Amino acid sequence: MKKTILFVSVLFSLVFSLYADIPSSKRPKSIDEEKAKAAAAKDESPEDVEKNRNIIKYGMASEISDLLGDLIKNDDPRYTEEIYDLFQVTRNSAIKEKVLNYFTKVEDPCLEDFAVELLSDPYDERNEVILATFQYVAAVKTKEAIPELIKIIESENENFFNNAIIALGEVGGPDEAMFLAEYLDREDLSAAQRQALMRVCGKMHSVETWGRLVDILEDEDENSFVRMYAAESIGQMQLDKSIPVLERNFDVQDPNLRQYIIKGLSNFPESAEAKNVILQGIRDDHWKVRQEAIKACESMKLTDAVPFLIHRAKNDSEKVIKDASFTAIGVLNTADGNKFLIEQLTDKKPADTTKAKVVEVLLKQGSAGDKEILELAKETLKDDRRKTLRYAIGKELAKYDRSNFADICVEYLSSKDTTTISLGLDMFKIGKYSSAEAAVRTIAEDKKANAGNRKRAQKMLGLEEN
């Protein structure tokens, strides 16, 4: 078997070495105007754009790194040209890593030439940059990186083997799947390497490995994590014959394996058998299995799960499961589910922590509960004992530009509490409510106001700072 694997590996090296080529250099792609508009709405003032451009051009590494982190978080595409030019001249590894992360997030292939050249000889670069490069070629699907990824896999370098396999799983096709399948029978791979290989076989829909993965799943002497990822991969192949295999293996003692069998079954939203196992998973004794089943209900749009989820939201001993249940009820968006969520806001019994979670869920869903949320916010503005809930609601309201939030924005701005006012300014920054402008101006001109809030209000209105 090892001779066969060696022959296949050498053959792949010879074939791909003929075609390995570094892509031509190219500028970043055109800016996504919708994303740019959404990012601009989060600016504190019109001067922010020029300030950010100057940081990219002239800032210290720490300043640039912080800014790039914010741009990644906000999915802000407005500075791609400047960031690309910075990458061409910087010698700072931390900046290189952050720029690669940025273009990974926006899925821009402008750095493919750098990425392929680095992967052809990665051993003199810092690990952080190399790992970011693997993620980058996977995100932008750099086909030219395939020969270099295969070379790294064949070198069996422990530092890069798993990352190269994962990247090849994203970029490669049927030929690469066959290449990786040869590694399933290798006895010299570590457990971590075999785990990575299991996951990639499923992601690539490498159906020729299905029988081998079933054997691995059902081998009780096999490493438990390898079995887990085998179960996930069997499901990802989306073959109907996988359903009974996963179903019969759900009755195992290892909760981690049950969790990953749920992952596998979540790929079959039309299967009654898969749905039944997942519904039973919601009431599994182990919280990880319950959590995975709840996530599966979301992805499968399994509305039959709502009664189970309501029960868990009311009664589960684990906060993480309660929160997951509330989230899933919101995503499924049924009449009964929405009624239950709104009752949590109007009923006096649920704790304020529960109400805060429900506010988050309903606002994200966007189709129910606005009236009740605004009424609850007004209640907290009158009761300083409920400041924590007031702050939580304000933080969520500030994520959305909705015209019916204008009045509550004014009420937050009119508070005497510094944090409440700050949250009102957050709402105004997103919504630009004309009816709230007078309240913002009052803060900007009030010399007794908190200095930070006054300065923010002045910037938002384009006034000179006093």
Side-chain angles (χ1 to χ4, degrees), residues 397-458:
L397 291 171
K399 294 178 181 179
Y400 305 95
D401 174 9
R402 298 181 190 171
S403 59
N404 59 326
F405 293 175
D407 290 346
I408 200 67
C409 175
V410 173
E411 293 198 37
Y412 268 73
L413 291 168
S414 302
S415 172
K416 294 181 180 179
D417 177 66
T418 298
T419 303
T420 304
I421 294 170
S422 178
L423 290 166
L425 290 171
D426 290 341
M427 293 181 214
F428 180 78
K429 182 176 75 171
I430 293 295
K432 304 291 191 298
Y433 307 115
S434 58
S435 60
E437 188 171 324
V440 176
R441 188 172 295 276
T442 297
I443 297 166
E445 295 174 351
D446 184 2
K447 294 182 179 180
K448 295 182 180 180
N450 172 270
N453 284 340
R454 186 171 71 249
K455 184 176 180 180
R456 285 187 68 199
Q458 290 169 350

Side-chain angles (χ1 to χ4, degrees), residues 4 131 157 164-165 224 246 252 326 333 380 385 393 442 458:
T4 303
L131 297 180
N157 182 295
I165 281 182
S224 62
L246 294 170
V252 292
F326 282 122
N333 193 19
T380 65
R385 294 172 299 178
I393 295 174
T442 297
Q458 290 169 350

Side-chain angles (χ1 to χ4, degrees), residues 107-176:
E107 297 184 2
D108 192 317
C110 63
L111 299 181
E112 286 184 312
D113 54 332
F114 166 83
V116 174
E117 186 171 3
L118 175 64
L119 292 177
S120 69
D121 184 17
Y123 304 102
D124 292 331
E125 185 58 88
R126 290 179 66 90
N127 268 13
E128 295 83 357
V129 176
I130 300 167
L131 297 180
T133 302
F134 282 122
Q135 294 170 355
Y136 174 76
V137 298
V140 301
K141 304 291 190 288
T142 305
K143 295 295 184 184
E144 293 89 343
I146 289 175
E148 311 313 325
L149 294 171
I150 287 175
K151 289 177 187 175
I152 292 170
I153 292 168
E154 290 173 336
S155 73
E156 299 183 14
N157 182 295
E158 290 186 1
N159 293 326
F160 306 137
F161 184 89
N162 288 4
N163 292 282
I165 281 182
I166 292 167
L168 188 61
E170 295 289 345
V171 179
D175 289 341
E176 290 72 44

